[in-house]
Amino acid sequence: MIDHQLARLRAHHRNIQRYRNLLQTSLTELEREFIEKRLTEEQSNLEGLAPLIPLRPAAR
């Protein structure tokens, strides 16, 4: 389960980086609004998922 959560965490992080890079390019206002909305959604998803992943594996 943790592997799945880590994969989702990495995917959100990659999406955030991609959207930030896109915002540095020449975009129409409509494109910029769409990317900003997606960026906000990805950041929210990342923030919601991060606390669910332990920093260290639980001792067995």
Side-chain angles (χ1 to χ4, degrees), residues 14 23 37 41 55:
R14 282 191 307 268
L23 288 174
K37 179 182 175 196
E41 290 171 358
L55 295 177

Side-chain angles (χ1 to χ4, degrees), residues 29-45:
E29 189 60 32
L30 183 61
E31 291 168 330
R32 184 166 301 281
E33 288 174 12
F34 175 79
I35 292 172
E36 288 173 347
K37 179 182 175 196
R38 292 295 298 141
L39 178 60
T40 301
E41 290 171 358
E42 289 292 342
Q43 289 172 329
S44 179
N45 289 333

Side-chain angles (χ1 to χ4, degrees), residues 4-57:
H4 177 68
Q5 290 175 328
L6 285 173
R8 288 179 58 204
L9 191 68
R10 284 190 295 268
H12 289 304
H13 180 67
R14 282 191 307 268
N15 289 341
I16 289 168
Q17 288 305 113
R18 185 172 60 247
Y19 291 138
R20 286 180 179 162
N21 289 339
L22 284 170
L23 288 174
Q24 300 301 314
T25 65
S26 177
L27 302 168
T28 67
E29 189 60 32
L30 183 61
E31 291 168 330
R32 184 166 301 281
E33 288 174 12
F34 175 79
I35 292 172
E36 288 173 347
K37 179 182 175 196
R38 292 295 298 141
L39 178 60
T40 301
E41 290 171 358
E42 289 292 342
Q43 289 172 329
S44 179
N45 289 333
L46 182 68
E47 291 168 4
L49 184 59
L52 302 177
I53 299 174
L55 295 177
R56 295 184 192 154

